Amino acid sequence: MLSIKNLHASVEDKEILKGINLEIKAGEVHAIMGPNGSGKSTLSQVLAGNEAFEVTSGEVTLNGENLLDLETEERAREGIFLAFQYPVEIPGVSNLQFLRTAVNAMRQHRGEEEMNAAEFMKLAREVSKQVDLDPSFLKRGVNEGFSGGEKKRNEILQALLLQPKLAILDETDSGLDIDALKVVSDGVNALRSEDRAILMVTHYQRLLNHIVPDYVHVLAGGRIIKSGGRELALELEEKGYGWLGIKDEEEASN
Amino acid sequence: MKQAPTLSSAFLHPACDQLPEPLLALRKQRASTLVDMPMPTRKTENWKYSAKYLKLDDEMAISLPNEGKTGNSLAVPGYKVVFINGVMVPEASEFPDMDGIAIKRFGDLSIDEASALSLQLGSTLDPKRTQFAHLNGARFEDGLLISLKPGAVLDQPLFIIHETWGDAPGSAYPRIFVDAGANSQMTLVEEYISSGDASLLANTVTEFDLAHGANITSIRLNMEGENVQHIGATGVVQQRSSRFESHCVGFGGPLRRHDLQVRLEGEGGECKLNGVVVTQGKQHYDNHTCIDHVAAHCNSEETYRNIAADKSHAVFNGRIHIHPDAQKSNADMNNKNLLLNSGAEIDTKPELEIYADDVKCAHGATIGQLDEISLFYLVSRGIGRRQANVLLTMAFINELVEQIPVEAVRETAQMRLNEFFEQTFQEA
């Protein structure tokens, strides 16, 4: 489904990604782990199409199509979804209006009829229950005044509504207490399906107790230095990043 | 020495025979004060950002015709009065028929009533800051006196549709006076629209005189076309424990000027002034507000937002004057601005004059641009860039638009603003 070959990317002329190679097939769940500053978030942002990051070389394809040629909104319509590490607060745009606009943009792209306000309200209420978010959050501004956990649940709510082909979760566990982590994980697990892939980016392995990955990759210094199965995460947890010769603090310089 | 240009005398010789004698006398008196009135230049303090947009040719001095047009027949959720070129169209208007509420055209007033009104007209405005209200005073040909007896409550909003229309250049001078008795209540909605394509001037004045305990809401939508220059003034005087709430939504034009002056003369008075202005292309809009805290223990709250795109120009000048006896005044003024292009210009200027020592007076102004991260967030969900820009721009003013207390007007404003922004972001 997703194929990344020798991807290099920079921000403000500083190279962050230094040759990433990764293949993800439909139905698989991959976890990318790494210390702060290793390039995890950059990889997520580059895949989603944030123009603040410049791709200097390499190739990314989604189901054979060149992803890097597409605008951010086109990538989303082709099925890329990024759950933000820091979801953006947008006062003045109601969450409901935002979600419905997004869902209808996708439906329009697929040649389907747009959902009217009443139909959408019904759907949105159901899905918000699934992530344990009170429907009153639909009426508030996008993420406005939401707690950290509520913001993350709102991200998963969006993923459930938009039904992406590839869901990228950027540090989705950060800022969550154990109960919220459970709710968010249940939401992500509900997304798992044979025709969908999930890429989780995380510093800690605790999320992986709830969402069990098929593959684990360790990212350091802008490259994937080790790949393995679920057990790699456990090993990292036990031995720390130092075990692979990575100095967390040093890498955290950006 | 070069002579400063003055208002052309062509503007000062109006013919009119429709009004009672005291109002004709008032017109003459006003016209006499306008002889040799210097035209505003960039050195005129209250016109310095806007004088260059003002273009009053002699041919625009002609009073626009008030026949040959029937007025739009749009239904409104309330009472409706249609003015075309400053003259009421009775066939298109429906007055409320309620005890305690009298609405009369100036032409239908008795000599005594007209005599009383002639003393009130203009009394709510500071003549030094509203030169053009005098022009309206010299030129109005009709007008509406809305009188609310003590305790009268108008059960539905009153809509006044002011249409300026002309196939040849000319000007119109609509005039409204609301005399709100003690503890009376009403909502007045004024919509300014236009038709025809000649160079037109709408020179408007609306006044509110609030006795103690009166509670008045004024909503003003300025939606005239690109051929209309608009110079409007709204004057408000408030007695003890009265409340005035204003919601202005303005779309830019070749020249748009609105002066809003509120004088808090009785203790416990309260005013809330909200304003939204949007400009694009080469449009202009200038809001000058002035709140006079004359009496002690009054509250004023003012929130204005400007959004300027392309090469347009928006101005906000907010004056708060706290008089020596106005102890315990509480004034809060806030102006936020959004510049959508580097070629656009926004001037914002707070003017505080405080002569009492025990007061709370807060003011803040910011100018910013659309947030790139918010934009990325929206488009990353598949929302098109143009739509995302429209959503974010609307978000900047939604808080104010949502406060418009009449649903139909709120929806009209939202729809028109959306259309406006879709045009703004057409190329994006």
Side-chain angles (χ1 to χ4, degrees), chain A residues 73 77 82 92 105 143 155 158, chain B residues 377 379-382 384-385 398:
Chain A
E73 60 270 32
R77 291 169 194 164
L82 169 64
N143 294 318
E155 294 294 287
Q158 292 165 43
Chain B
Y377 190 64
V379 296
S380 80
R381 296 324 186 222
R385 226 156 264 263
N398 249 344

Side-chain angles (χ1 to χ4, degrees), chain A residues 33 203-206 209 231-241 243:
Chain A
M33 301 186 66
H203 185 92
Y204 303 103
Q205 83 90 37
R206 67 170 190 161
N209 291 334
E231 67 288 346
L232 178 57
L234 297 170
E235 212 167 346
L236 267 177
E237 170 88 341
E238 194 184 320
K239 298 178 180 168
Y241 286 109
W243 162 60

Side-chain angles (χ1 to χ4, degrees), chain A:
Chain A
M1 172 178 284
L2 182 77
S3 168
I4 304 175
K5 291 198 177 106
N6 193 29
L7 180 66
H8 291 251
S10 310
V11 61
E12 288 166 2
D13 290 333
K14 187 179 179 207
E15 187 166 59
I16 310 284
L17 300 183
K18 299 171 181 170
I20 302 270
N21 293 289
L22 185 64
E23 294 286 332
I24 301 179
K25 295 193 180 69
E28 293 177 351
V29 175
H30 288 241
I32 291 196
M33 301 186 66
N36 292 326
S38 59
K40 302 189 299 289
S41 279
T42 300
L43 177 61
S44 322
Q45 297 279 325
V46 165
L47 292 175
N50 188 341
E51 286 164 3
F53 299 87
E54 192 194 351
V55 174
T56 49
S57 66
E59 188 184 291
V60 182
T61 58
L62 180 72
N63 293 325
E65 198 178 350
N66 184 353
L67 195 68
L68 300 177
D69 274 354
L70 301 179
E71 298 285 343
T72 306
E73 60 270 32
E74 293 168 331
R75 296 184 195 194
R77 291 169 194 164
E78 292 302 327
I80 297 267
F81 177 89
L82 169 64
F84 280 52
Q85 181 178 6
Y86 302 109
V88 184
E89 294 198 21
I90 312 179
V93 177
S94 84
N95 211 14
L96 192 67
Q97 185 186 18
F98 161 60
L99 297 170
R100 189 171 147 227
T101 308
V103 165
N104 279 337
M106 299 290 196
R107 293 177 72 94
Q108 203 182 24
H109 177 70
R110 293 193 297 260
E112 297 169 12
E113 285 227 357
E114 294 192 2
M115 286 180 104
N116 67 34
E119 285 171 330
F120 184 75
M121 188 68 191
K122 190 165 171 277
L123 174 68
R125 279 172 168 274
E126 279 168 20
V127 180
S128 52
K129 267 184 214 142
Q130 202 180 334
V131 292
D132 200 21
L133 207 55
D134 189 277
S136 66
F137 281 90
L138 296 170
K139 301 220 161 143
R140 287 166 59 175
V142 175
N143 294 318
E144 187 185 2
F146 290 22
S147 70
E150 286 157 357
K151 284 179 182 164
K152 294 299 172 78
R153 278 182 272 163
N154 202 31
E155 294 294 287
I156 303 305
L157 167 71
Q158 292 165 43
L160 289 165
L161 283 170
L162 297 174
Q163 296 283 315
K165 289 182 185 135
L166 172 68
I168 305 163
L169 312 177
D170 189 1
E171 304 273 2
T172 290
D173 55 326
S174 69
L176 295 184
D177 66 26
I178 193 70
D179 296 327
L181 184 64
K182 179 82 174 53
V183 172
V184 165
S185 308
D186 287 349
V188 175
N189 284 325
L191 279 172
R192 290 183 88 143
S193 86
E194 278 181 16
D195 48 14
R196 178 174 298 126
I198 295 173
L199 177 62
M200 286 185 288
V201 166
T202 181
H203 185 92
Y204 303 103
Q205 83 90 37
R206 67 170 190 161
L207 180 67
L208 312 184
N209 291 334
H210 299 270
I211 309 164
V212 179
D214 302 307
Y215 300 95
V216 175
H217 312 275
V218 179
L219 187 67
R223 288 187 194 90
I224 290 175
I225 57 164
K226 196 170 177 62
S227 296
R230 162 95 180 93
E231 67 288 346
L232 178 57
L234 297 170
E235 212 167 346
L236 267 177
E237 170 88 341
E238 194 184 320
K239 298 178 180 168
Y241 286 109
W243 162 60
L244 292 169
I246 308 163
K247 292 194 191 79
D248 200 353
E249 292 310 309
E250 179 190 301
E251 293 292 336
S253 58
N254 71 339

Side-chain angles (χ1 to χ4, degrees), chain B residues 90-279:
Chain B
E91 314 84 85
S93 303
E94 187 213 348
F95 284 176
D97 180 15
M98 289 179 71
D99 284 346
I101 293 167
I103 301 183
K104 283 189 179 173
R105 295 178 70 175
F106 287 179
D108 294 338
L109 296 173
S110 70
I111 295 292
D112 283 354
E113 288 169 329
S115 181
L117 179 64
S118 71
L119 298 176
Q120 287 183 293
L121 283 181
S123 62
T124 66
L125 290 163
D126 174 356
K128 288 200 298 290
R129 293 173 197 282
T130 50
Q131 302 95 320
F132 286 93
H134 273 288
L135 179 59
N136 175 285
R139 294 294 301 269
F140 66 84
E141 292 172 21
D142 192 1
L144 218 53
L145 171 61
I146 301 169
S147 307
L148 305 172
K149 289 226 170 78
V153 177
L154 189 61
D155 59 345
Q156 292 184 72
L158 173 67
F159 285 73
I160 302 182
I161 314 295
H162 292 283
E163 180 170 347
T164 304
W165 161 71
D167 292 327
S171 43
Y173 304 89
R175 185 97 189 195
I176 309 293
F177 195 94
V178 177
D179 189 359
N183 301 314
S184 63
Q185 294 182 27
M186 83 171 284
T187 296
L188 178 67
V189 181
E190 291 183 280
E191 295 186 6
Y192 292 90
I193 58 173
S194 68
S195 54
D197 51 15
S199 289
L200 308 177
L201 168 69
N203 177 209
T204 74
V205 177
T206 303
E207 296 181 82
F208 298 89
D209 190 342
L210 278 65
H212 71 84
N215 188 344
I216 303 294
T217 298
S218 156
I219 307 175
R220 192 178 196 277
L221 301 187
N222 195 312
M223 310 183 286
E224 290 147 323
E226 295 292 333
N227 54 322
V228 181
Q229 297 182 61
H230 182 107
I231 308 175
T234 301
V236 185
V237 172
Q238 295 188 237
Q239 302 307 325
R240 183 164 52 83
S241 300
S242 61
R243 184 168 193 279
F244 181 76
E245 185 174 316
S246 155
H247 301 265
C248 294
V249 177
F251 296 84
L255 170 89
R256 293 278 185 273
R257 171 64 179 247
H258 184 222
D259 281 84
L260 172 55
Q261 303 189 340
V262 180
R263 215 159 66 229
L264 295 157
E265 289 190 345
E267 291 189 357
E270 190 182 317
C271 72
K272 176 187 170 91
L273 313 179
N274 284 353
V276 168
V277 158
V278 295
T279 57

